Amino acid sequence: MKEFQSIKGTHDLLPDDLKTWQRIEDRIRQIMQQFGYGEIRTPAFENTELFIQVIGTDTDIVNKEMFSWVDQGGNALTLKPELTAPVARAYLQHQLGNKNPLHRLYYFDSLFRRERPQKGRQRQFYQFGAEAIGSPNPEQDAEIISLAYHIYQDFDIQEMEVCLNSIGSAEIRPAYLKLLRRTLDKYRGELCNTCETRLGKNALRIFDCKNLMCQEILDIKAPCIFDSISADDRQHFDSVTCILNAMGIPYKHDNKLVRGLDYYSHTTFEIISSSLGAQDALCGGGRYNGLIEQLGGKQTPAVGFAAGVERLILALGKMEDLDSAPDIYFITLGENAIIQACRMAHEIRKKCGKTVILETLRRSMKAQMRDANRYGTKLVIILGDEELQKNSVLIKEMSTGSQNEISMDGIIQYFNKKL
Ligand code: HAM
């Protein structure tokens, strides 16, 4: 018989993993709410065209990483590889801009990219992120950066660095790309094949290349987009850095940081951590002032970021265990006790709000006690034939071993007082 395995680049999350995940998720939600962000959830798949239009045809995501298919009705669909495009689509579809001039949205969701799996890089992965749609002002960029930074600080991530740049407005792009092409044309033959093609089509994407030779040429020879931005764009960048300084958020100006998606303008940023190895980006984001308009809306400035959950967990290392032991372990002995035990466990959960683990394997007393110890339960209820006859249960305190006999009718009152 074929033994099925999870698909390459995907992973199961088991109850022990999820203890950490849920704590992380809860805390991220709290922080997002503290900053005034409301949650948005979008469908798992969208029209392929949305991602092509928004992310850009020459990007790695669109070129080679999307899980796309044509359904039985002939619709071209794609599992979402990122969330900025779906959020922008939802913002327009629900006319959120008419309801409020500024929307602060956050998400915690699962995404799909057909990348080569390695540490910190999966084909199905989770992101949390935030999008602020409506404000053109530098304080909004600073809020987004500080939100991401605050989350990592809250989790006590030590080794991290905020890398910041501005790629200016879309208007300066043609002149800069012309300059970049002119410079890099001299190195045709030395660039990798993909970059040769990118040079003719979308030269900015050359900065996404991981090829060492291409990177060396870019490092030494390529003009920086930051040097081409307008005085207004420069002013915006300076204001963002000024606010970050006032907030005490350290950053490094990385004038090569253009980000791998086509929709950015002005601010681009990443928070990296050397503890992650090759995939060192904890998160990334920036402004995308042209995106809403590109999708048919009014000109609407926006800025956001997204962060890999698995990478946060890698950077965290081991989290201390929380006391998650159940309050009560219910031991039943003999078939006659089962119905009463089920009824009482149900009532204790409902009326006393306690966690009750009920034995359903019909094991021996010894095996059930061992199981209760494994759970680290504080109290054990024992119900066997003898107790049934007396209409009572035995309650054993695990730390002291002391036992109490309680009438079945008084058990709710007992636990409401006791725990
Ligand atoms: P991104 O840089 O493609 O940006 O992804 C953001 C983060 O998601 C990365 O920094 C990384 O932590 C995580 N990530 C990406 N791909 C993978 C993967 N294959 N496996 C594990 N983690 C991964 C975006 O997605 C933009 N939508 C961010 C944004 C929001 N810009 C503005 N608003």
Side-chain angles (χ1 to χ4, degrees):
M1 242 268 279
K2 185 178 162 78
E3 206 177 284
F4 292 105
Q5 301 276 318
S6 59
I7 306 294
K8 183 176 164 189
T10 69
H11 53 201
D12 300 310
L13 291 170
L14 303 178
D16 275 349
D17 306 318
L18 283 167
K19 281 188 203 158
T20 308
W21 273 72
Q22 277 158 2
R23 279 170 70 190
I24 287 173
E25 187 170 342
D26 289 349
R27 188 64 194 133
I28 288 169
R29 287 180 189 285
Q30 273 172 4
I31 297 174
M32 291 289 186
Q33 280 156 20
Q34 279 175 346
F35 276 72
Y37 285 69
E39 189 181 1
I40 182 164
R41 290 188 198 180
T42 63
F45 52 92
E46 300 268 353
N47 281 307
T48 300
E49 193 52 34
L50 172 72
F51 297 115
I52 296 178
Q53 237 190 70
V54 169
I55 300 171
T57 36
D58 303 304
T59 57
D60 282 348
I61 296 181
V62 168
N63 252 331
K64 49 186 188 192
E65 294 169 3
M66 297 206 300
F67 284 99
S68 301
W69 73 102
V70 177
D71 76 1
Q72 293 85 337
N75 306 298
L77 303 171
T78 292
L79 286 178
K80 54 187 173 187
E82 64 100 53
L83 277 152
T84 311
V87 169
R89 194 262 314 133
Y91 173 88
L92 284 168
Q93 184 174 331
H94 303 286
Q95 300 175 351
L96 297 185
N98 294 343
K99 295 175 188 146
N100 199 327
L102 176 61
H103 277 270
R104 289 184 166 97
L105 303 167
Y106 86 87
Y107 42 79
F108 195 109
D109 208 342
S110 164
L111 304 171
F112 307 86
R113 293 185 193 175
R114 202 174 185 290
E115 295 194 75
R116 197 165 43 78
Q118 63 179 92
K119 182 179 163 207
R121 192 161 75 185
Q122 297 83 235
R123 290 185 170 181
Q124 180 179 1
F125 61 98
Y126 287 78
Q127 274 188 351
F128 60 91
E131 312 289 352
I133 307 178
S135 170
N137 296 317
E139 54 271 34
Q140 190 61 69
D141 306 45
E143 177 181 282
I144 283 288
I145 298 167
S146 67
L147 169 55
Y149 190 76
H150 182 97
I151 290 175
Y152 293 119
Q153 266 201 324
D154 192 82
F155 285 109
D156 205 20
I157 302 294
Q158 300 290 334
E159 290 169 43
M160 61 169 166
E161 185 167 41
V162 180
C163 303
L164 186 66
N165 194 23
S166 172
I167 60 169
S169 58
E171 287 78 57
I172 65 109
R173 203 75 52 85
Y176 168 71
L177 290 180
K178 204 166 150 194
L179 176 66
L180 182 64
R181 262 187 230 115
R182 218 175 34 221
T183 314
L184 294 182
D185 256 342
K186 297 180 204 134
Y187 301 92
R188 275 188 186 278
E190 291 174 59
L191 293 169
C192 73
N193 289 342
T194 315
C195 284
E196 294 267 342
T197 317
R198 284 169 167 163
L199 194 54
K201 285 165 107 190
N202 187 349
L204 201 60
R205 297 279 60 92
I206 294 180
F207 286 95
D208 306 337
C209 187
K210 300 280 177 289
N211 179 297
L212 286 180
M213 186 67 178
C214 297
Q215 278 186 3
E216 203 179 305
I217 295 171
L218 288 173
D219 274 348
I220 302 168
K221 310 291 180 190
C224 291
I225 193 165
F226 187 79
D227 296 333
S228 297
I229 69 176
S230 69
D232 282 351
D233 297 342
R234 183 63 199 256
Q235 170 75 49
H236 183 94
F237 180 77
D238 289 344
S239 302
V240 175
T241 57
C242 190
I243 300 170
L244 292 180
N245 288 334
M247 290 196 283
I249 297 179
Y251 59 86
K252 181 183 94 177
H253 182 187
D254 175 355
N255 57 14
K256 290 263 174 335
L257 183 68
V258 299
R259 305 265 305 129
L261 303 104
D262 274 358
Y263 48 66
Y264 290 111
S265 65
H266 306 87
T267 309
T268 50
F269 79 97
E270 280 183 357
I271 302 183
I272 58 171
S273 173
S274 54
S275 69
L276 290 178
Q279 302 305 314
D280 65 352
L282 282 166
C283 73
R287 237 178 210 288
Y288 49 96
N289 286 353
L291 197 157
I292 300 286
E293 195 177 12
Q294 192 196 337
L295 288 176
K298 285 193 294 220
Q299 205 289 321
T300 311
V303 56
F305 83 95
V309 179
E310 289 84 354
R311 293 196 194 173
L312 167 61
I313 288 173
L314 276 175
L316 267 175
K318 184 151 169 46
M319 276 180 104
E320 80 201 55
D321 285 340
L322 276 189
D323 177 19
S324 57
D327 303 308
I328 300 160
Y329 189 100
F330 208 129
I331 293 181
T332 49
L333 297 165
E335 278 190 41
N336 298 334
I338 293 170
I339 294 179
Q340 285 299 348
C342 290
R343 180 190 65 75
M344 273 189 276
H346 184 65
E347 297 245 300
I348 297 166
R349 288 185 198 116
K350 201 170 67 178
K351 297 194 178 151
C352 313
K354 306 301 175 207
T355 322
V356 185
I357 304 293
L358 180 72
E359 153 77 5
T360 58
L361 290 174
R362 302 188 180 186
R363 286 178 290 185
S364 68
M365 171 82 171
K366 202 169 153 199
Q368 293 191 54
M369 277 308 266
R370 211 180 303 123
D371 204 29
N373 269 322
R374 194 179 57 81
Y375 273 108
T377 323
K378 298 180 200 83
L379 291 177
V380 163
I381 305 179
I382 303 167
L383 180 62
D385 287 338
E386 206 178 302
E387 289 78 24
L388 260 184
Q389 270 178 10
K390 290 195 265 176
N391 204 30
S392 66
V393 291
L394 271 185
I395 297 180
K396 181 172 172 145
E397 204 145 329
M398 294 299 268
S399 58
T400 59
S402 68
Q403 291 195 169
N404 256 330
E405 191 166 341
I406 306 283
S407 121
M408 281 190 199
D409 302 334
I411 198 151
I412 297 300
Q413 207 186 3
Y414 176 85
F415 281 120
N416 272 336
K417 267 204 227 132
K418 176 86 184 166
L419 290 166

